[in-house]
Amino acid sequence: MVNISYSIRFHGIREPDRVALSYLGHSVTYKELWKRIQRMAAYLVEAGIEEGDVVAVLMKNSSAFIEIAFAVSYVGAIFLPINYRLATDEVNYICSDSSAKLLFADIELYDEDISCNSVLLDTKTQLNTSCLVSNYHPVATRPRSTDELFRLMYTSGTTSRPKGVMHSYRNFHWKCMDQSIALNLNNNNRLLIAGPLYHVGAFDLPGIGVLLRGGMLAIMREFDTKACLSLIQSEKLNCAWLAPVMTSSLLSFTENQNFDLTSMNWIIGGGERTPEKRIHEFSSLFKNARYIDAYGLTESCGGDTFMDPGREFEKIGSVGRPTPHVEVQIRDKKGNILDPGVEGEICLRGPKIFDGYWQDPEKTQNSFYKDVFRTGDAGYLDSEGFLFLTDRIKDMIISGGENISSQEVERVIIEMPQISEVAVFGVKDPKWGEIPVAAIVYTDGKSIDLDSLKAHCIKNLASFKVPKDFLIKKRLPRNPSGKVLKRLLRQEYNI
């Protein structure tokens, strides 16, 4: 029988004064965190939460977010973090689809049209949920079996309506095991939480896994470039997960050399293939740290592959090799396993991979070859087992019968120093079926003549791969993991 709160109890007894959380200048020890979890659990029981009930949160990052997540597990309920950037009708859809019994919401995010029994959290409660509990009566933990649900997470909906991903305790614990081995997690880890905790990047990569090992989480309410650098310096943080757009912001910040960042040992990236120039820029800022390219999905709790230390440039373009208990396969459209070097659909198997989508057996069946999950991403393995991403299968551009990998075109365009971000997508064309179009974001203070950019593409790409048009943007639309929402770019272009 399992319960993620047991780890906090373990550390709270053995090292009660060790700091578990840091948030807005307030520190919380493991002893204090265990007490807060118990009080929050009592509140949930008083609110009528029973085993198997779904408890949702619509919150920005805070220490309260962590307390609620552990307390929900403590009472045997199912944790449901919701993207706070969603519109009210989307929040209502998720609450309805999941049959959420209770919603915790930050006051600043709450809308009176949300149709779920809600508890509102002000600034004081975001620091400590004990404010909710007036009469504290301890309740017993409710252990769960490994196959029972720990969490529901709704996909970001890059291509369709969000789907409820079911994470069991087995999935979560094997995720923590694999990442602990791959990243050598221990109680000396001081992890920066800069991304939103409703997403697997912040919560899982390695996120809560650090607390299970007795480390410390330094939580930012939301990402801010200067505040992030300052927090790394003041708290001597040594590890982090950052979405690509966050990393780019840190690297381009004009005052970044004014901060002492020597404590940082590693930062996990991912969400897109990392350009070589970004790795060089990263090394010049974080002089003692390595940039770990990675690959993962909501369906796998994130972090399925990590780049090996010291092979970042030798294997440029790769997202690394799988963690110990993840098998990566490349399959064709018929489900046949392909040889190294041959592109196909990336498929995953292992105990950290989810079992299916909430109340959607048809979608679940279509997403698996027996026990092997079909990611919908295209890529290939080299002879040493390093994974290379080429595209989302639905983002592959087919022009005149020729396949065009958008990431191949993006890699050429990002070589230009005047370009800070690029996304290539396909639009319908009566002659060719589809043609490639590139959305570009200029580097601060710079621009480029589009004829010169096109000439650069002609020099480095086959003619049919050269973008036929360019869309100039101030920023690219992204989901929380940093993946560009190309469907929104297509919609904008076709208006």
Side-chain angles (χ1 to χ4, degrees):
M1 304 300 284
V2 293
N3 193 299
I4 66 166
S5 67
Y6 292 165
S7 296
I8 305 302
R9 179 181 64 187
F10 177 91
H11 297 301
I13 292 171
R14 286 160 178 78
E15 295 186 277
D17 297 327
R18 177 180 282 274
V19 174
L21 305 176
S22 172
Y23 173 63
L24 298 183
H26 298 264
S27 294
V28 182
T29 66
Y30 273 95
K31 181 180 180 180
E32 292 169 333
L33 180 57
W34 174 238
K35 287 182 177 179
R36 292 186 182 190
I37 292 168
Q38 289 178 296
R39 292 177 71 90
M40 187 66 223
Y43 178 85
L44 291 172
V45 170
E46 290 178 6
I49 298 301
E50 300 177 352
E51 293 183 50
D53 285 341
V54 175
V55 177
V57 295
L58 185 70
M59 299 170 58
K60 293 185 178 181
N61 291 358
S62 65
S63 52
F65 192 112
I66 302 296
E67 294 169 28
I68 293 170
F70 277 99
V72 170
S73 175
Y74 186 109
V75 300
I78 300 168
F79 184 58
L80 169 59
I82 298 177
N83 182 344
Y84 59 75
R85 296 183 175 94
L86 297 180
T88 298
D89 66 326
E90 294 174 301
V91 173
N92 282 335
Y93 167 78
I94 291 173
C95 288
S96 174
D97 187 66
S98 65
S99 300
K101 192 169 182 178
L102 186 65
L103 171 72
F104 288 92
D106 287 345
I107 288 178
E108 65 187 276
L109 302 174
Y110 183 72
D111 188 306
E112 62 182 9
D113 291 328
I114 292 176
S115 55
C116 185
N117 184 28
S118 302
V119 178
L120 303 188
L121 283 70
D122 57 17
T123 302
K124 186 177 181 181
T125 316
Q126 291 156 5
L127 282 168
N128 184 352
T129 57
S130 297
C131 299
L132 292 173
V133 186
S134 55
N135 298 311
Y136 169 52
H137 301 289
V139 296
T141 57
R142 297 169 178 169
R144 312 300 284 163
S145 71
T146 56
D147 288 330
E148 288 181 293
L149 287 190
F150 157 64
R151 175 178 59 187
L152 273 177
M153 296 191 80
Y154 279 73
T155 60
S156 53
T158 57
T159 58
S160 61
R161 189 80 168 180
K163 303 179 291 291
V165 174
M166 298 187 294
H167 289 152
S168 67
Y169 279 92
R170 181 187 72 255
N171 299 149
F172 186 74
H173 278 274
W174 278 104
K175 183 278 300 184
C176 292
M177 168 74 79
D178 268 17
Q179 293 181 5
S180 182
I181 294 171
L183 299 170
N184 192 28
L185 300 182
N186 57 63
N187 62 6
N188 291 319
N189 291 127
R190 300 174 65 82
L191 180 72
L192 168 68
I193 300 292
L197 280 165
Y198 64 71
H199 185 267
V200 292
F203 197 95
D204 293 272
L205 196 54
I208 298 301
V210 168
L211 287 182
L212 303 190
R213 295 305 306 266
M216 187 269 276
L217 305 185
I219 303 169
M220 298 187 70
R221 183 152 179 80
E222 50 192 337
F223 178 79
D224 173 82
T225 305
K226 187 173 183 179
C228 181
L229 294 168
S230 178
L231 189 61
I232 293 172
Q233 175 178 272
S234 63
E235 294 282 1
K236 294 183 170 52
L237 305 181
N238 54 27
C239 49
W241 171 85
L242 295 174
V245 67
M246 296 177 184
T247 304
S248 296
S249 177
L250 297 181
L251 297 180
S252 62
F253 185 57
T254 55
E255 301 174 25
N256 59 21
Q257 297 295 334
N258 296 336
F259 295 87
D260 180 1
L261 308 176
T262 54
S263 62
M264 189 61 67
N265 294 328
W266 49 259
I267 292 178
I268 300 170
E272 62 184 27
R273 187 163 58 178
T274 307
E276 183 173 354
K277 74 171 187 177
R278 182 180 293 167
I279 298 179
H280 283 293
E281 292 170 353
F282 176 88
S283 299
S284 67
L285 179 61
F286 295 96
K287 302 184 186 305
N288 295 335
R290 67 185 184 99
Y291 184 82
I292 307 176
D293 232 329
Y295 172 75
L297 306 96
T298 301
E299 287 85 348
S300 64
C301 302
D304 300 307
T305 70
F306 295 103
M307 176 55 66
D308 291 8
R311 306 195 72 177
E312 294 86 356
F313 293 105
E314 175 194 352
K315 296 292 183 179
I316 191 70
S318 171
V319 291
R321 291 194 277 198
T323 55
H325 300 94
V326 171
E327 179 184 359
V328 177
Q329 301 174 353
I330 307 297
R331 299 200 178 205
D332 63 18
K333 293 180 179 179
K334 296 182 179 180
N336 300 310
I337 297 178
L338 300 173
D339 293 331
V342 181
E343 181 185 285
E345 183 175 12
I346 300 169
C347 299
L348 304 173
R349 178 164 61 186
K352 70 191 285 292
I353 311 302
F354 82 133
D355 292 325
Y357 295 106
W358 177 257
Q359 300 182 137
D360 198 337
E362 181 180 356
K363 179 74 71 175
T364 298
Q365 184 176 2
N366 293 337
S367 300
F368 283 85
Y369 294 118
K370 294 184 179 179
D371 63 341
V372 179
F373 174 58
R374 304 175 58 186
T375 68
D377 291 325
Y380 65 91
L381 294 168
D382 70 7
S383 59
E384 294 185 89
F386 283 85
L387 177 62
F388 289 78
L389 305 180
T390 52
D391 221 333
R392 285 286 299 174
I393 288 177
K394 292 183 179 180
D395 287 336
M396 189 71 73
I397 303 165
I398 304 176
S399 184
E402 297 281 359
N403 285 356
I404 302 173
S405 166
S406 61
Q407 291 195 10
E408 179 185 3
V409 183
E410 290 163 0
R411 177 176 52 81
V412 169
I413 294 175
I414 202 67
E415 292 174 353
M416 303 298 286
Q418 300 93 335
I419 307 296
S420 65
E421 296 183 77
V422 58
V424 174
F425 55 97
V427 297
K428 292 182 179 180
D429 182 79
K431 180 178 181 180
W432 301 105
E434 285 186 305
I435 56 172
V437 172
I440 59 174
V441 177
Y442 289 138
T443 304
D444 287 346
K446 296 183 179 181
S447 63
I448 187 172
D449 178 74
L450 294 182
D451 288 337
S452 299
L453 179 56
K454 191 167 186 177
H456 171 75
C457 293
I458 292 172
K459 179 181 177 181
N460 293 280
L461 293 166
S463 59
F464 68 90
K465 298 179 181 179
V466 175
K468 303 304 185 284
D469 199 1
F470 295 92
L471 184 64
I472 300 173
K473 300 281 293 177
K474 289 185 177 180
R475 64 184 62 84
L476 298 179
R478 296 177 181 269
N479 70 13
S481 67
K483 292 180 180 178
V484 177
L485 300 174
K486 293 187 178 182
R487 61 178 172 81
L488 298 184
L489 293 173
R490 290 191 194 95
Q491 291 171 7
E492 178 182 346
Y493 187 83
N494 289 324
I495 292 176

